[in-house]
Amino acid sequence: MISNSEMIRIRRQMQRRIQDVVAERRRTRLQDPTLISPTAATPAGADQEVCVADNGPG
């Protein structure tokens, strides 16, 4: 059975690895502007300003 302190150590190690991967992906994304496309830059479901043409009354 895994002790409580070992479980905490494993959890912290996993969190560090995840943070390292996220940081590496962020660095890669910031260094290579060709990876960013206009549609990929805006996450799905993000609030966007919508402009509607005014076609008059009715």
Side-chain angles (χ1 to χ4, degrees):
M1 183 159 175
I2 297 175
S3 67
N4 190 34
S5 61
E6 191 170 359
M7 183 66 78
I8 292 170
R9 182 188 63 79
I10 292 170
R11 184 175 293 128
R12 287 180 179 162
Q13 185 180 29
M14 290 172 58
Q15 288 174 343
R16 275 195 305 271
R17 288 181 181 176
I18 290 170
Q19 289 172 353
D20 289 347
V21 169
V22 170
E24 179 64 30
R25 289 182 181 177
R26 183 178 294 126
R27 281 192 297 270
T28 302
R29 192 172 60 241
L30 292 174
Q31 289 175 356
D32 192 358
T34 60
L35 293 177
I36 299 176
S37 67
T39 55
T42 305
D47 292 335
Q48 297 180 9
E49 183 178 346
V50 177
C51 296
V52 180
D54 184 11
N55 292 331

